[in-house]
Amino acid sequence: MARAQSRYVCQSCAEAFLRWEGQCRNCGAWNSLVETLIREPSKGARTSAARTAALAIRAGQAPEALARVTDVDLPRLGVGLPELDRVLGGGLVPGSVVLVGGEPGIGKSTLLLQAAAGVAAFGTVLYASGEESAAQVRLRATRLGLTDGPAGRAVRVVAESSIDRIVDLATSERPNLLIVDSIQTATVDDLDGAAGSVGQVRESALRLMELAKGSGSGSGSGGPAGRAGAIAVVLVGHVTKDGSLAGPKTLEHLVDAVIGLEGERFATLRLLRATKNRFGSTEEVGVLEMGEHGLTALGDPARAFLAEHEGGAPGSVVAPTLEGSRPLLVEVQALTASTAYGTPRRTASGIDQNRLALLVAVLGRRAGIGLGSHDVYANLAGGLVLDEPALDLPLAIALASSFRDRPVPPGTVAIGEVGLLGELRSVSGLERRLREAARLGFSRAIVPRASRGGQTPVIDGLDVVAVATLREALERALA
Ligand code: TYD
Ligand code: MG
């Protein structure tokens, strides 16, 4: 068979070139050329985007009034890990493609091997690893205690990075679930680029999508729901330092769901979060703990991110955060120290750096906490990463507490967004957050005063202190 032709296509102006160059000669964009296969447009061919978008639409169906459209109950493959199933929206959808992203060493292969074992309870799995040999995968499975169960037989492992081989294997074996670990090691023969290049990553993902979407019985009509025996595909993707999935954003648009595995490599807590999900909410988070026998769910995830010390240390306060429908209590920690020389440092981990800089400015101008000649460090306990504006107030309190070297009394939680004028803004789901705080034994909460006719929630056992400004909040928190 003749080798397919490839061109280098500019991602910003779509001009095609025969050779790779650093700058597009047409539009001048830098590093925008991506090796792309030239496909013969077949009869009725659609762009991949349109093909994916058409996933839930049955071919040849007449439009229906919105009110009359019936809910489709998508079949789901439960993966046996309730936290992962929760983030997926109830399990994997046959015929869908899910990308699981995370930093190297965070536990992606572990998570997916466990998911494979879960599916093995009722189906079959093909695990294609381009990163480890079959023996290494087996070693890990043994360590996880999975080799003796149904997984020992129903999970088939192959060390393979050629996508064409993997697709052939999957087409003949017809597993319920295909895992490709990782998309960065995958290559198609038709492209010259190295594994991990944008062109290779994208073409590999496209072929696996074709496999998933076309994998059911029947001839191309019907969404995944209508396809008996459709293959669910899970791709592993390494996240680069700056937090983006390598093989740039293109992958995220192609797949049906993007699930991130987050956490600190040397800490044990892991957070699962969907950043995109065509078959479920992107609000839900899963909390897992990496232990000797892999990833396990926690008995009480709400308290997982509380640091383990007996309160009373300056520079710390607990924030009742809300991730989707799940309340998590998180310890916010800050440290301020006089700057030895040069420009003061502002270092944030788990929190937006700009938000920290802004709070430092507001604290100086509106609350008399001048940190102009202080280094400032702030982080969330347990390696959690959150971008909730409601973390402003706890962060500001932690900073002030460290600066004044005065602890926040134990049993206190704080939540609220801080405006540039030092005013506090209300937060969503306040009652849920406070109920959870009360359940975990907290006795006092500092919250923004309800605005425009709203009411401050009354919670049994919790002294809810409603304040209007940052200055007032600091007075009450550090009294
Ligand atoms: P791994 O799943 O290989 O990460 P990734 O595929 O994202 O690169 O996980 C690697 C780490 O997890 C490694 O440092 C060892 C640790 N680990 C455990 O702590 N417990 C276990 O049961 C397993 C299998 C791994
Ligand atoms: Mg791995």
Side-chain angles (χ1 to χ4, degrees), residues 107-452:
K108 300 181 293 300
S109 304
T110 307
L111 177 74
L112 292 177
L113 201 54
Q114 288 182 259
V119 171
F122 56 85
T124 55
V125 184
L126 178 61
Y127 187 112
S129 179
E131 310 226 323
E132 292 161 300
S133 67
Q136 278 172 307
V137 176
R138 190 197 139 82
L139 201 68
R140 187 198 300 262
T142 311
R143 181 166 164 198
L144 293 171
L146 302 175
T147 16
D148 298 330
R153 268 162 289 112
V155 179
R156 295 166 63 83
V157 184
V158 60
E160 182 61 73
S161 54
S162 157
I163 285 300
D164 300 312
R165 264 278 291 144
I166 293 172
V167 168
D168 284 349
L169 279 172
T171 312
S172 62
E173 302 216 343
R174 310 217 54 77
N176 297 98
L177 169 64
L178 167 66
I179 297 171
V180 178
D181 187 0
S182 66
I183 194 69
Q184 274 99 356
T185 54
T187 51
V188 297
D189 301 336
D190 297 321
L191 293 178
D192 296 323
S197 65
V198 180
Q200 287 283 14
V201 164
R202 199 171 58 178
E203 186 60 31
S204 302
L206 276 172
R207 290 191 186 185
L208 291 168
M209 286 195 32
E210 269 161 26
L211 172 74
K213 307 299 178 215
S215 61
S217 55
S219 54
S221 71
R227 295 188 167 170
I231 302 173
V233 177
V234 175
L235 311 176
V236 173
H238 293 296
V239 170
T240 51
K241 266 276 176 320
D242 62 10
S244 64
L245 284 164
K249 297 283 172 189
T250 47
L251 267 194
E252 294 191 12
H253 297 298
L254 294 177
V255 298
D256 297 309
V258 180
I259 309 263
L261 183 59
E262 306 168 3
E264 266 173 43
R265 200 174 154 182
F266 298 104
T268 57
L269 288 167
R270 299 286 183 269
L271 209 68
L272 276 172
R273 203 198 299 265
T275 49
K276 165 180 178 178
N277 195 348
R278 288 205 175 113
F279 307 118
S281 147
T282 52
E283 301 262 271
E284 297 306 329
V285 296
V287 184
L288 293 163
E289 189 169 27
M290 177 67 94
E292 247 176 81
H293 302 289
L295 292 155
T296 46
L298 287 128
D300 192 354
R303 67 166 83 234
F305 293 92
L306 291 175
E308 289 180 19
H309 62 75
E310 293 302 313
S316 130
V317 70
V318 172
T321 67
L322 200 57
E323 287 291 297
S325 64
R326 171 172 273 173
L328 292 177
L329 277 92
V330 180
E331 180 165 336
V332 181
Q333 301 182 330
L335 181 68
T336 63
S338 318
T339 307
Y341 59 90
T343 332
R345 300 179 54 128
R346 310 275 175 254
T347 309
S349 120
I351 312 162
D352 181 19
Q353 186 97 20
N354 295 325
R355 206 74 208 173
L356 174 64
L358 188 134
L359 279 176
V360 167
V362 175
L363 276 168
R365 290 300 303 275
R366 310 288 175 210
I369 309 277
L371 294 167
S373 55
H374 282 72
D375 291 340
V376 169
Y377 305 89
N379 76 295
L380 300 182
L384 194 62
V385 178
L386 297 177
D387 60 0
E388 231 200 340
L391 280 175
D392 286 355
L393 180 60
L395 189 54
I397 292 175
L399 287 164
S401 159
S402 171
F403 180 73
R404 294 208 179 134
D405 204 23
R406 206 183 293 166
V408 177
T412 304
V413 295
I415 196 77
E417 187 179 342
V418 175
L420 291 183
L421 309 178
E423 83 279 19
L424 297 187
R425 303 200 190 123
S426 48
V427 300
S428 61
L430 185 59
E431 189 165 341
R432 300 250 352 247
R433 300 171 192 255
L434 297 184
R435 276 196 195 295
E436 195 67 10
R439 182 180 76 82
L440 294 182
F442 288 87
S443 54
R444 195 166 73 120
I446 298 172
V447 303
R449 184 167 298 158
S451 55
R452 276 176 265 113

